[in-house]
Amino acid sequence: MSDSLFRALDMIEPGDLVIYHGSIKSHHGLWLALPCQCRECALADQLGLPASRFALVDPWGERSGPHHARRESITRSAACD
């Protein structure tokens, strides 16, 4: 099966726990994935383009993570199941 099929089965909903494994190594770990609310992402949403980037929030409220986290940089946590 293709990687894109597995990604389609692993849909991430707002508020899901995810594991970030992107390029910012200091931010690797567990986060809550929320739709990014920056100006560029809000404009894309208004134009009807699919939301493909997320803002990451610490589940314990201690720090803010990277905004514009690409879908490829996060994986849905098994804790969601």
Side-chain angles (χ1 to χ4, degrees):
M1 289 187 175
S2 71
D3 186 47
S4 59
L5 178 58
F6 284 120
R7 293 228 183 259
L9 295 174
D10 188 30
M11 296 293 294
I12 294 176
E13 298 291 327
D16 277 352
L17 284 171
V18 297
I19 298 172
Y20 176 75
H21 47 80
S23 60
I24 305 172
K25 297 203 183 295
S26 63
H27 284 78
H28 284 189
L30 192 64
W31 297 90
L32 289 174
L34 301 174
C36 187
Q37 296 297 317
C38 76
R39 191 178 68 148
E40 289 84 13
C41 291
L43 179 60
D45 186 44
Q46 289 175 359
L47 294 173
L49 300 174
S52 59
R53 298 189 183 241
F54 297 89
L56 302 180
V57 178
D58 184 0
W60 298 276
E62 296 175 1
R63 61 186 179 142
S64 174
H67 291 264
H68 298 297
R70 294 178 302 136
R71 174 64 186 92
E72 296 81 19
S73 298
I74 58 178
T75 304
R76 190 168 185 256
S77 172
C80 292
D81 298 332

